[in-house]
Amino acid sequence: MNFHIKARAAALAACLSMTASVVAQSSNTVNIGVLTDMSGLYSEIGGRGSVVAAQMAVEDFGGEIFGRPIKVLSADHLNKPDIAASRVREWVDRDGVVMVTDVLGSATGIAVQNLLADKNFIVMNTGSATSAITNKECSPYSTHWSYDTQAIAASSAAAILAEQGDTWFFITADYAFGHMLEADATKVLLKGGGKVVGTLRHPLNDSDFSSYILQGQASGAKVIVLANTGGDATNAIRQATEFGVIEAGQKVMPLLIFDTDIKGLGLNVVKGVKYTTGFYWDFDERTRKWSERFFAKHKTQASMVQAATYSATMNYLKAAKAVGSFDRDKIMAKLREAPIDDMFARNAVLREDGLLVHDMYMAQVKSPTESTGEWDIAKVIKVIPGKDAFAPISESECPYLKR
C-alpha cells in the first residue's frame, strides 16, 4: 500500500513539474517574481532595491533564456501573509512565473513557502529571517539564500555578551521572526552564563516604543536587546536616545540591523555598534564593483537582502540554462551540485534542507570622524565561516530530510 501511495505521489509531483514547465514555455516571456515590502517598515531593506537587483541579474545574464526575454514582475505584499499568498497564487497560476524571490518578512515568507510547497514550486527566499524556513517549514523546492535568525543571533549575541553585559531585557517583535531571534539569542546568553531579566513584545510596525524603553530602563538590565529590525529597530533606538537611556550608561543593542538603518539613524547614534551581516558593499573589489553599478541605478548602497536577491536570481537562471529547462527537480539538483561563489555568497553550499551556508561578517559601525563618505558607515572586523555561522544540518528539523 505504501508503495502505491508513494508511486502516485511521485507521479503527481512529476505531472505538476511538467505542467509548470509547459506553462512557462507557452508564455512569450520568462517571468520571475519579486515579492517584497514596497511601502512599509522593510521597504528600504528590500522594496524597489530588490527589484533593481533582480533586473540587474537578468541584464547580466543576457536578458533572455531559451530564446525568450526574461521579465521581472514585482508586487507589494504589505507585510500581510494573505495578500502575499494571493499574489503568488496569481503569478503561478495566471502569469507563468517560474521562480519567486525576496519574500521579505517571516510571516509572509512562511505563508508563501507553504503555498508554493503544495505546488512543488521554487521560492528563493532572500528576505525572511526566521530559521523555521529550513526547519519545520522547509520544502524540497525552497532555498533560504541570505541569512537566518540563528546565524544573526549566534554572532551578534556573542558580541553583545562579551562586550556589553550579561543581563538583558528583550524588546521583541511579536511574530515568528522576533520570537525566533529572541530564542536563538537567549541560547547564546544562557550558555555564556548570562540572564534574561525581562521581555516585552510589540506589534509589527509600532511607532511608539517609549513604554518599552522605559520598562527596559527600569529593569536594571545592562543591555536592552532589540529582537526586531527595520523601522521598528530604528524607532526604538531613536527613542532610547531621546530619553537619554544610552547617555545614562545603559546599552541599547540591535540583534539585526541593516546598512540602510545605520545610514538613516546616523553614525553619531550607533557608532561602535557591532552587527552581523551577510554582505557589506565595501568588503572587497568584487562587492565594490557590483555595488557601484547598483548605486548608479538605485542611488543607495545595497542591503544584504538586495544583494542576495541578485545572487539568487542569477544562480537560478544559470541552473535553468545548465539543465536546459525549467524542470524544478533538475534546477534544484544543479543548484546543490557545486559550491556557489559570487559577489554575495562566498564559500557557499546549498544544503538539502534549502539553507545556503556561506560566510557571514561581523561589522562595526564607524564614528563620524572615521567615515570618509556618505556610505562609509562600517568596517568588516571578522569573517565568520558559514559552518560556524549557521546551525549544522544535524540539528535541522526539516521533515522531508527524515523521510
Side-chain angles (χ1 to χ4, degrees), residues 80-161:
K80 295 181 178 180
D82 57 337
I83 291 177
S86 176
R87 179 50 58 95
V88 167
R89 188 179 291 109
E90 290 178 358
W91 275 351
V92 174
D93 295 342
R94 183 192 66 192
D95 299 325
V97 165
V98 294
M99 183 271 283
V100 174
T101 188
D102 188 326
V103 204
L104 259 170
S106 292
T108 50
I110 289 172
V112 168
Q113 181 148 311
N114 288 340
L115 170 68
L116 295 184
D118 290 340
K119 294 176 175 290
N120 293 337
F121 191 92
I122 293 177
V123 53
M124 301 188 77
N125 198 313
T126 61
S128 301
T130 177
S131 53
I133 293 290
T134 51
N135 282 276
K136 64 180 181 179
E137 304 292 347
C138 72
S139 161
Y141 299 95
S142 71
T143 71
H144 208 180
W145 203 263
S146 51
Y147 69 106
D148 67 12
T149 50
Q150 198 282 333
I152 293 295
S155 302
S156 293
I160 295 170
L161 180 62

Side-chain angles (χ1 to χ4, degrees), residues 4 31 41 49 65 76 91 96 154 161 193 198 218-219 232 249 263 286 315-316 320 331 341 352 357 369 392:
H4 293 297
N31 296 327
L41 76 168
I65 186 170
D76 186 351
W91 275 351
L161 180 62
S219 73
D232 285 334
K263 177 66 166 50
R286 277 198 286 176
N315 279 282
Y316 171 85
I331 289 172
D341 184 83
E352 286 299 316
V357 176
T369 55

